């Protein structure tokens, strides 16, 4: 389920990520494996990061992660992991490599061998961090920066965030017709008011027309992306019904209230 965030939430989340990432990047050999697991755990549990990584993945890339890890780990420095120019491929590949390493408890002693000519484990870990993990961390931080830019200067308004690789889409909670739970409960209440007064008219065809319209409006407003054209068409239909029921005062008032409520969402 998607959550809404304001800019303060995003800044706090980014600071936590940077702290955990920094522990990995400054690890000595004896703390590196655990710090890397800590980083992957945070990534997998943090919706904004995981969605960004997922948006970068492409089945057509057809990475052979298991084989790459085994080849690099057993090559005594002859091979290193793949490097990609495209952000999406680099993010997806690096994440999958690191996830495989942590999920399978692969020791750093094998796969870091080719990232430094030094014989010291600390230098090999540092070389691996600089050449393989740091670009991945920078790209995640870059995604946070894109989110903050899209959010603008306001720290308090809430937004829904979606990612498509390097593209970030922000939807403001209060935006047109993007109904919140408060809007859901309000439209339910107004629809019930109409139904409670529908028997004040005798024309069954007109009753069915009113019920069909208000239930159609209720259903459309509750969608993730309601269509303005459908909403406007239904409210126009309800407006055209009002002159036909001038004596049904309470029913007319209930329909008018629905029309007024919908106009505030647009």
């Amino acid at each position: 389920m998607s959550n809404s965030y304001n800019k303060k939430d995003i800044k706090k989340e980014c600071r936590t990520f940077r702290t955990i990432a920094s522990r990995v990047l400054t690890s000595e050999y004896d703390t590196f494996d655990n710090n890397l697991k800590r980083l992957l755990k945070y990534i997998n549990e943090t919706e904004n990061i995981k969605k960004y990584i997922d948006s970068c993945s492409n089945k057509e890339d057809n990475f052979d992660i298991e084989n790459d890890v085994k080849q690099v780990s057993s090559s005594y420095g002859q091979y290193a992991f793949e490097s990609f120019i495209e952000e999406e491929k680099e993010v997806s590949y690096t994440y999958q490599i690191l996830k495989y390493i942590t999920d399978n408890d692969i020791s750093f002693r094998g796969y870091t061998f080719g990232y430094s000519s030094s014989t010291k484990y600390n230098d090999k870990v540092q070389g691996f961090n600089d050449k393989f993990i740091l670009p991945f961390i920078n790209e995640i931080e870059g995604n946070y920066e894109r989110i903050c830019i899209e959010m603008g200067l306001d720290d308090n308004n809430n937004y829904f965030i979606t990612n498509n690789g390097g593209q970030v889409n922000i939807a403001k909670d209060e935006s047109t017709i993007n109904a919140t739970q408060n809007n859901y409960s309000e439209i339910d209440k107004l629809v019930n008011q109409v139904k409670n007064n529908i028997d004040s008219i005798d024309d069954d065809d007109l009753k069915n027309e009113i019920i069909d319209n208000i239930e159609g409006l209720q259903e459309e407003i509750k969608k993730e992306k309601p269509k303005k054209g459908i909403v406007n068409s239904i409210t126009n239909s309800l407006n055209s019904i009002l002159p036909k029921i001038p004596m049904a005062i309470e029913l007319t008032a209930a329909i008018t209230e629905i029309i007024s409520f919908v106009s505030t969402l647009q």
Side-chain angles (χ1 to χ4, degrees):
M1 181 178 179
S2 294
N3 296 315
S4 63
Y5 303 86
N6 58 42
K7 202 167 181 179
K8 289 179 180 178
D9 296 330
I10 295 301
K11 288 178 178 178
K12 181 179 179 181
E13 194 175 282
C14 186
R15 281 195 298 270
T16 302
F17 170 74
R18 284 173 177 162
T19 299
I20 296 172
S22 178
R23 290 184 68 174
V24 176
L25 295 175
T26 58
S27 294
E28 295 194 348
Y29 75 91
D30 57 343
T31 60
F32 175 74
D33 286 339
N34 284 337
N35 285 338
L36 184 60
K37 288 179 180 178
R38 186 177 290 108
L39 175 66
L40 266 291
K41 182 175 185 294
Y42 184 75
I43 287 173
N44 290 327
E45 293 175 352
T46 305
E47 183 183 47
N48 285 313
I49 302 177
K50 191 61 171 62
K51 279 188 173 182
Y52 164 59
I53 293 171
D54 290 344
S55 75
C56 292
S57 67
N58 187 337
K59 290 182 180 178
E60 294 181 1
D61 290 334
N62 199 27
F63 299 134
D64 191 349
I65 300 300
E66 181 178 359
N67 181 67
D68 285 3
V69 172
K70 288 180 178 178
Q71 185 180 54
V72 172
S73 296
S74 61
S75 70
Y76 297 99
Q78 185 178 355
Y79 296 109
F81 292 117
E82 294 283 347
S83 178
F84 297 95
I85 295 174
E86 302 93 334
E87 175 183 340
E88 290 85 358
K89 284 187 176 181
E90 184 169 50
V91 168
S92 179
Y93 180 75
T94 305
Y95 170 75
Q96 290 180 60
I97 290 292
L98 297 180
K99 186 174 187 301
Y100 185 89
I101 285 170
T102 55
D103 285 351
N104 293 279
D105 291 318
I106 308 295
S107 171
F108 73 90
R109 288 177 174 83
Y111 61 81
T112 63
F113 201 93
Y115 286 88
S116 172
S117 58
S118 170
T119 58
K120 296 180 179 178
Y121 283 133
N122 281 340
D123 292 338
K124 294 183 182 300
V125 167
Q126 190 61 54
F128 180 74
N129 278 332
D130 292 344
K131 296 173 183 177
F132 192 72
I133 295 184
L134 182 58
F136 175 65
I137 288 170
N138 287 341
E139 279 152 347
I140 293 174
E141 289 187 349
N143 185 63
Y144 274 121
E145 289 175 7
R146 287 191 289 264
I147 291 172
C148 287
I149 290 169
E150 287 292 325
M151 284 181 165
L153 300 176
D154 199 311
D155 281 352
N156 297 314
N157 281 329
N158 276 26
Y159 303 81
F160 288 99
I161 301 166
T162 57
N163 267 287
N164 182 18
Q167 181 178 348
V168 176
N169 298 311
I170 304 291
K172 196 171 179 180
D173 278 3
E174 302 107 24
S175 62
T176 325
I177 271 189
N178 279 340
T180 62
Q181 285 298 325
N182 288 337
N183 291 340
Y184 294 172
S185 61
E186 183 65 18
I187 191 65
D188 288 345
K189 183 185 78 173
L190 295 174
V191 166
N192 286 334
Q193 284 180 6
V194 172
K195 289 181 176 179
N196 289 338
N197 289 285
I198 197 70
D199 288 335
S200 60
I201 58 175
D202 297 324
D203 188 328
D204 287 338
D205 289 340
L206 199 53
K207 282 182 182 180
N208 290 334
E209 186 179 353
I210 291 170
I211 295 298
D212 286 346
N213 276 299
I214 62 171
E215 287 183 346
L217 192 60
Q218 182 183 34
E219 181 181 351
E220 190 64 29
I221 286 175
K222 288 186 174 184
K223 290 180 179 178
E224 184 178 353
K225 294 181 179 180
K227 295 182 178 179
K228 283 188 179 182
I230 293 175
V231 171
N232 289 336
S233 176
I234 295 173
T235 53
N236 288 338
S237 179
L238 289 172
N239 269 314
S240 70
I241 290 172
L242 290 176
K244 301 176 184 179
I245 52 172
M247 303 305 293
I249 297 173
E250 291 184 353
L251 178 59
T252 299
I255 294 173
T256 302
E257 198 169 348
I258 283 184
I259 294 170
S260 297
F261 170 72
V262 171
S263 70
T264 67
L265 301 179
Q266 301 191 61

